[in-house]
Amino acid sequence: MTPSGKPDLSVSIWRGGADGAYRTYSVPSRDSQTVLDVVTYVQRHLDPTLSYRFACRVGMCGSCAMTVNGRPRWTCRTHVSRVAKGDKLTVGPLENLPVVKDLATDMRPFFEKWQDAKGVFEPSKTRDDAIEPIRPDTRQRQLADAGVECINCGVCYAACDTVKWNTDYLGPAALNRAWTLANDVRDAGQTERLQAVASGGGCHACHSHQSCQEHCPQTLNPTASIAGLKRLTALAYLRGEIEA
Amino acid sequence: MLERLQTDILILGSGGAGLFAALHAHAAAPDLSITLATKGLLGKCGCTRMVQGGYNVALNPGDSIERHFMDTIEGGKWLPDQDLAWTLVTQAVVRVRELENEVGCFFDRNPDGTLHGKAFAGQTFDRTVHKGDLTGIEIINRLMEQVWKRPGVAKLEEHRALALIPARDGASVSGVLMIDVRTGGLRFVEAKAVLMATGGGPTMYRYHTPSGDKSMDGLSMALRAGLKLRDMEMVQFHPTGLLAGPDTRMTGTVLEEGLRGAGGYLLDGGMRRFMADYDPKLERATRDVVSRSIYAEMKAGRTTPNGGVYIQMSHLGPKDVAKKFKGMVDRCRDCGFDLAGGLVEVVPTAHYFMGGVQCRPDTSTEWPGLFVAGEDASGMHGANRLGGNGVANSTVFGGIAGDVMPGWIAAHPGRRAPDEDVLAAEIARAQHPFGKTPGNVHVLRERLMDLMWDEVGVVRDAAGIARGLAGLDALEAELLETGVADGDRAFNLTWHDWLNLRSLVETSRVIALAAGRRENSRGAHFRSDFPEPGDLDTSTYTVVRQGAAGLAITEEPVQFTIVRPGQSLLDVKEAAE
Amino acid sequence: MNVRLYVWQRGTAALMAPLVLVHLAVIFYATRQGLTAADILGRTRGSITWGLFYGVFVLAAAIHASIGLRNILVEWVPGLRSRAAALISTAFGAVLVALGARAVAAVVLG
Amino acid sequence: MSVGALSRRRNALWYAALVHRLSGLGLAVFLPLHFLTLALAVEDGARLDGFFRFADMPAVKLGETGLVFLLAVHFLGGLRILFVENFTWRGNQAKLASAAGGLAMLLAFVFLIRVL
Ligand SMILES: Cc1cc2nc3c(=O)[nH]c(=O)nc-3n(C[C@H](O)[C@H](O)[C@H](O)COP(=O)(O)OP(=O)(O)OC[C@H]3O[C@@H](n4cnc5c(N)ncnc54)[C@H](O)[C@@H]3O)c2cc1C
Ligand code: HEM
Ligand code: SF4
Ligand code: F3S
Ligand code: FES
């Protein structure tokens, strides 16, 4: 029992690498307590060798995502009371990424695919030029705006079974970024980008499962972004601007 | 045991300063080998990413560089190094154009398509460029994409820098010792030029806003290297940090300034609106005044259950609040608080560190080959940093460092082998806790945070500072006897907690010393025993340096190279027109 | 799947949509009171319209289904290389076209 | 136990995709058989009728009902996907997918009643 009067939480945490196992700890329950706090408690008080990753603790850096009771989530902004089943919590590393140790995954494949999707701005101007006037009410600006606040947490990537099944698939976050750039009127790399997302593991591999959209903590909609890319690339292909 | 790597340019940190340095260095000299080492994942650690407010820049035709400069100097209570501040405000203009045009940032626009500038406290013009209230995410995401895109920049993610290793001459830098966090192995990276951009981070206070990876490592490394640290007493407190109780990382995180600006009330534990007792501007008073007022209420015991005060927004209409401050309201809700309709407990929280390594406008330091930028550097802000000048500072000077380092290398060719004795000593130092009986690092950190909060915090006096210094000595002695179990060193957070704590204790001592030395109250530094700001014309700044005989502290006169107290560049400009 | 396969797969899907609708209607209509070969053949024998209808349907379905099969193989058969998946699905498509053509010939030409 | 053993991230639309895939597969498997029986007509109508008599058995009728369901559910689900991919975003996709499933079942049921 704890100061809050609630029974302790029974927390199962993944320990080890890919071939690890869950181990269970008892953590005092508090009124103000996120899943990250629970994990921190275990490291600070019960098992100093527990590894996990976090930085900002306010949902901005996207480095604390884990699998909590079977669902990928940002842990710093997930209050325990919203996810605990009774007094039980199961916390594992994100799926679809290699495990480094315990709760920390290797995010490199995620970011490599981000690059493969050409999720990077290609400048058409320099610092010596004036800033491009872009009216906020234009359609393209609004489309780009809708998807731009991604924190690259990898939650959508972990939630998508197409990522799991198709190792070439670039995944929702990378494609969502490509879509925001496709709507960026300042960008000079449009054809190359469309080409990149129209090939093998590109946007067409998505089956609109929408798990990405359902789980995105920033409430972005990668499904809609990917659909947009499917349209753009199909048109570009039919016009002969890109190849299969 | 020790793996040795070589590179031309080594950059520590992947905040605004580190990433910009990498891009500029790569552009200036694509043939040089550039290595960027950072404590967390590339771009996903540090505070630049957490910038909410935005980026100060005089781009609007109605604004001027001179006005931005004067705001910076007056905000800094005449302590800034004026050449650094001038570089900051002039280069910010270039940097924002670069961020938009070359890096791809997507800043908010006015209806006519021009950049939107919002109001930020302490400024005479609405010049803060932003992307909603997630400006830092936009800046860092775009920067890190550009850095990933350049395979020429080698990335050492989750590498913690431990020590600056001097060359055999003892007076220039040879390279940096670091831990590969994922394996626990040690690496020495020898470099011709090193940029320190680890972002300060006053996380030694009970309540603090910066990200968990920041623990003043850079400044403790600089201290041990014998470099001059300036303005170390200047810790900026943000008045409204979330107070969520003990054992939660939510506590201390910032509730944005705009809440007070929009008309939010601060109430004491007895639900009384207290700001009228302190300042006629009430809740809209400046950061330092509001922080001290809340602190006074806390000292007087008029607190909420967790020991802070309340912020109330509901009188502005919960629906409107939820709309206007969506990000903030959502964040509070995720953590179990109703900001729009209820009361949320708040407390002042350590936010930014104005002090740091003394440097020149080209980011060079006393040590040939060592450069510094961002929150690790000092002098741009003086006694107080304007909201919006932090990210301007890191991106401006990071870029300058990137421009300058290749030229420096060309002018100073050849490698500088490390002083092997220092290297060996630093290796031993890093592994020190493995030789001791494992103990409870966490308890010690809690003690440090209370000690600094109570004795060297928002309001200071000589007696408290003395207690603080004594407490730090005791704490350090205990820390050195507290071990960490030596089993698996891979991703061993507890080992890193220990190392963080050591950096924090060392730099805390310097803060306390400098705070004791400044016998007046300026900006972020407030002495209840010396509440007056003192004569502006004879302003001095503190400099601390660690020598063989321990810490030495001096005061240096501020050079008014551009304007003197009582003058304004705006008058000069208007007279000329 | 790449953009070429996508365009073919979604294109044939869109093409089949009205065809399926008609086909379903015919099924419902034809099963009104028991199916007989005479009914069907009476309708289709010598009809260019039905010949075209079913010809296009067969072709579209073969293309559509073989691309679909390829995706399923890529995702659900671990270790199968995309070349092999392409081969299997193309073969399947070819079988569909051959059998389909024979069936259409049977009901239209007799 | 593997890391993902407790995964509960499957949602209604994931199941919609699964149904779409299985119905597509089902149709694809059925199609060659369908073509083969129709080709019986090449030889003579009687053999086709023979098949139809065999097909009069209730068990076979049930199977046919299944096929109608597969075709309907794949058709409706496929339309939904074509809409998602080609028109401006609409929320409530999970509801639409369930509606498609429901409608397909209804169609199949009507078919069953008619043929029995
Ligand atoms: C919540 C919050 C809100 C803010 N809002 C604003 C604002 O609105 N406007 C504004 O102008 N400023 C704001 N600031 C301040 C601003 O974020 C910082 O001043 C600025 O971003 C510092 O940039 P930097 O590059 O120096 O450091 P950071 O961005 O903090 O980066 C430091 C980097 O160094 C790494 N590092 C640390 N230690 C080591 C080590 N030992 N070895 C290797 N790497 C290491 C870190 O992991 C990180 O990558 C805010 C700060 C916070 C905390
Ligand atoms: C109106 C007719 C049809 C429409 C609108 C349609 C639509 C679609 C769509 C949109 C997909 C892609 C699903 C995805 O990748 O997420 C698909 C897949 C598929 N279709 Fe169809 N289809 C139709 C008819 C058929 C027929 C007649 C067959 C069988 C012969 C068939 C077999 C398949 C198969 C096997 C798949 C692959 C499923 C998968 O990848 O999960 N379809 N269909
Ligand atoms: S799209 Fe959403 S879930 Fe995916 S990485 Fe970005 S923020 Fe995370
Ligand atoms: S979950 Fe996966 S399949 Fe597509 S809609 Fe999202 S990327
Ligand atoms: S710790 Fe940064 S998003 Fe959770």
Side-chain angles (χ1 to χ4, degrees), chain D residues 55-85:
Chain D
D56 266 342
M57 291 192 304
V60 180
K61 286 288 169 225
L62 224 61
E64 283 175 1
T65 307
L67 282 173
V68 169
F69 171 72
L70 290 186
L71 186 58
V73 83
H74 191 85
F75 166 66
L76 293 172
L79 281 185
R80 185 185 68 81
I81 293 185
L82 291 179
F83 272 95
V84 164
E85 289 179 344

Side-chain angles (χ1 to χ4, degrees), chain A residues 37 40 43-44 48 51 53 55 57 60-62 77 111 126-127 129 132 141 150 152 177 186, chain B residues 44 49 97 100-102 104-105 107 109 141 145 148 158 208 212 248-249 334 445 491 494 497:
Chain A
D37 292 331
T40 303
Q43 181 243 333
R44 283 182 177 169
S51 308
R53 191 185 283 129
R57 68 215 158 97
M60 296 182 102
C61 70
R77 274 180 64 173
F111 288 113
T126 74
R127 66 197 77 166
D129 299 312
E132 175 111 5
R141 176 75 178 189
C150 167
N152 27 70
R177 174 62 182 138
R186 307 164 302 170
Chain B
K44 291 172 79 69
R49 210 183 161 94
R97 282 202 304 258
E100 258 277 336
N101 294 350
E102 296 181 31
C105 288
F107 294 124
R109 296 295 207 272
N141 274 351
E145 286 167 1
W148 282 323
E158 300 191 314
H208 60 254
T248 171
R249 293 197 188 268
D334 288 349
R445 193 206 12 254
F491 226 118
T494 304
D497 282 345

Side-chain angles (χ1 to χ4, degrees), chain A residues 127, chain B residues 11 13-27 36 55 94-96 98-100 102-103 105 139-140 143 147 195 391-392 394-403:
Chain A
R127 66 197 77 166
Chain B
I11 296 165
S14 65
L19 294 177
F20 248 109
L23 290 181
H24 276 220
H26 187 64
L36 192 150
Y55 191 123
V94 183
R95 208 60 89 232
V96 165
E98 185 180 355
L99 280 167
E100 258 277 336
E102 296 181 31
V103 179
C105 288
I139 292 177
I140 287 291
L143 281 172
V147 172
L195 173 69
V391 61
S394 57
T395 52
V396 161
F397 288 98
I400 292 177
D403 295 335

Side-chain angles (χ1 to χ4, degrees), chain A residues 207, chain C residues 9-10 13 16-17 20 64 68, chain D residues 20-21 24 27 31 74-75 78:
Chain A
H207 300 289
Chain C
Q9 218 230 7
R10 300 305 199 259
M16 279 190 291
V20 166
H64 178 87
Chain D
H20 193 76
R21 172 163 290 190
L27 290 171
L31 216 48
H74 191 85
F75 166 66

Side-chain angles (χ1 to χ4, degrees), chain B residues 389-460:
Chain B
N389 266 0
V391 61
N393 173 45
S394 57
T395 52
V396 161
F397 288 98
I400 292 177
D403 295 335
V404 164
M405 287 188 288
W408 190 89
I409 290 176
H412 303 80
R415 301 206 164 266
R416 296 181 300 279
D419 180 329
E420 294 291 338
D421 295 338
V422 177
L423 186 56
E426 288 289 352
I427 291 173
R429 184 186 148 96
Q431 297 178 337
H432 176 92
F434 294 129
K436 299 284 171 186
T437 337
N440 193 334
V441 182
H442 173 58
V443 173
L444 295 178
R445 193 206 12 254
E446 296 276 311
R447 253 176 56 199
L448 171 70
M449 296 201 307
D450 283 335
L451 182 71
M452 287 301 284
W453 175 257
D454 290 334
E455 311 292 8
V456 202
V458 180
V459 175
R460 303 154 174 183

Side-chain angles (χ1 to χ4, degrees), chain A residues 28 30-34 36-41 43-45 47-64 74 76-82 100-102 104-108 110-112 114-115 119-137 140-146 148-154 177 180-181 183-186 217-219, chain B residues 24 27 40-46 49-52 59 93-115 131-138 141-142 144-146 148-150 157-158 182 208-213 244-254 326-327 330-337 403 440 442 445-446 485 488 490-495 497:
Chain A
R30 287 188 176 276
D31 290 334
S32 291
Q33 189 175 40
T34 62
L36 178 64
D37 292 331
V38 169
V39 170
T40 303
Y41 185 92
Q43 181 243 333
R44 283 182 177 169
H45 299 280
D47 188 343
T49 63
L50 177 64
S51 308
Y52 56 99
R53 191 185 283 129
F54 82 101
C56 72
R57 68 215 158 97
V58 288
M60 296 182 102
C61 70
S63 43
C64 66
W74 56 4
C76 68
R77 274 180 64 173
T78 300
H79 199 283
V80 170
S81 63
R82 298 210 357 252
V100 176
K101 180 173 174 272
D102 303 344
T105 55
D106 182 352
M107 292 193 79
R108 273 175 296 192
F110 176 80
F111 288 113
E112 276 159 16
W114 192 293
Q115 284 297 304
V120 55
F121 180 75
E122 292 297 338
S124 56
K125 293 181 157 193
T126 74
R127 66 197 77 166
D128 301 323
D129 299 312
I131 287 174
E132 175 111 5
I134 305 173
R135 292 174 56 110
D137 55 2
Q140 278 190 307
R141 176 75 178 189
Q142 285 174 347
L143 287 174
D145 238 346
V148 83
E149 287 182 351
C150 167
I151 57 171
N152 27 70
C153 60
R177 174 62 182 138
T180 63
L181 283 161
N183 286 290
D184 192 331
V185 293
R186 307 164 302 170
Q218 290 287 78
T219 60
Chain B
H24 276 220
L41 298 181
L42 187 84
K44 291 172 79 69
C45 46
R49 210 183 161 94
M50 298 167 72
V51 164
Q52 289 188 296
L59 270 179
V93 177
V94 183
R95 208 60 89 232
V96 165
R97 282 202 304 258
E98 185 180 355
L99 280 167
E100 258 277 336
N101 294 350
E102 296 181 31
V103 179
C105 288
F106 219 78
F107 294 124
D108 281 357
R109 296 295 207 272
N110 294 310
D112 69 354
T114 54
L115 276 196
K131 169 75 190 80
D133 57 3
L134 299 177
T135 313
I137 294 178
E138 180 63 14
N141 274 351
R142 304 299 78 92
M144 74 185 195
E145 286 167 1
Q146 296 292 346
W148 282 323
K149 185 181 146 193
R150 291 161 171 77
E157 286 186 298
E158 300 191 314
R182 290 177 199 173
H208 60 254
T209 67
S211 56
D213 48 300
D247 276 345
T248 171
R249 293 197 188 268
M250 293 182 278
T251 285
T253 56
V254 107
K326 185 174 183 309
D330 285 354
R331 186 198 291 177
C332 286
R333 193 207 44 236
D334 288 349
C335 301
F337 303 101
D403 295 335
N440 193 334
H442 173 58
R445 193 206 12 254
E446 296 276 311
D488 191 356
F491 226 118
N492 188 328
L493 293 187
T494 304
W495 181 22
D497 282 345

Side-chain angles (χ1 to χ4, degrees), chain B residues 272-517:
Chain B
R272 198 179 75 91
R273 200 176 162 199
F274 59 83
M275 274 308 295
D277 301 350
Y278 301 94
D279 195 292
K281 290 202 283 292
L282 302 171
E283 285 86 357
R284 290 193 172 102
T286 53
R287 272 185 191 178
D288 51 332
V289 172
V290 179
S291 294
R292 282 198 294 279
S293 310
I294 297 175
Y295 187 80
E297 292 294 305
M298 293 165 65
K299 279 274 156 189
R302 293 188 285 271
T303 58
T304 56
N306 281 310
V309 300
Y310 291 117
I311 189 162
Q312 176 194 299
M313 302 300 295
S314 54
H315 57 279
L316 300 171
K319 277 224 183 75
D320 290 343
V321 175
K323 220 173 108 196
K324 182 150 187 227
F325 297 101
K326 185 174 183 309
M328 225 54 251
V329 171
D330 285 354
R331 186 198 291 177
C332 286
R333 193 207 44 236
D334 288 349
C335 301
F337 303 101
D338 178 10
L339 178 63
L343 295 171
V344 176
E345 290 181 66
V346 294
V347 73
T349 177
H351 188 46
Y352 185 88
F353 199 63
M354 275 76 75
V357 177
Q358 196 167 20
C359 65
R360 306 182 190 99
D362 70 351
T363 72
S364 61
T365 67
E366 288 173 82
W367 259 19
L370 180 70
F371 299 78
V372 65
E375 209 175 314
D376 274 348
S378 66
M380 302 76 187
H381 312 296
N384 201 9
R385 172 193 65 104
L386 295 182
N389 266 0
V391 61
N393 173 45
S394 57
T395 52
V396 161
F397 288 98
I400 292 177
D403 295 335
V404 164
M405 287 188 288
W408 190 89
I409 290 176
H412 303 80
R415 301 206 164 266
R416 296 181 300 279
D419 180 329
E420 294 291 338
D421 295 338
V422 177
L423 186 56
E426 288 289 352
I427 291 173
R429 184 186 148 96
Q431 297 178 337
H432 176 92
F434 294 129
K436 299 284 171 186
T437 337
N440 193 334
V441 182
H442 173 58
V443 173
L444 295 178
R445 193 206 12 254
E446 296 276 311
R447 253 176 56 199
L448 171 70
M449 296 201 307
D450 283 335
L451 182 71
M452 287 301 284
W453 175 257
D454 290 334
E455 311 292 8
V456 202
V458 180
V459 175
R460 303 154 174 183
D461 62 29
I465 292 169
R467 282 194 301 274
L469 281 168
L472 287 168
D473 288 343
L475 205 69
E476 184 168 53
E478 258 183 81
L479 177 64
L480 292 178
E481 290 310 312
T482 304
V484 172
D486 191 10
D488 191 356
R489 292 189 187 183
F491 226 118
N492 188 328
L493 293 187
T494 304
W495 181 22
H496 290 278
D497 282 345
W498 193 99
L499 294 166
N500 289 347
L501 191 53
R502 188 150 191 206
S503 295
L504 289 172
V505 169
E506 283 177 334
T507 46
S508 293
R509 184 179 288 119
V510 183
I511 293 174
L513 209 64
R517 180 62 175 244

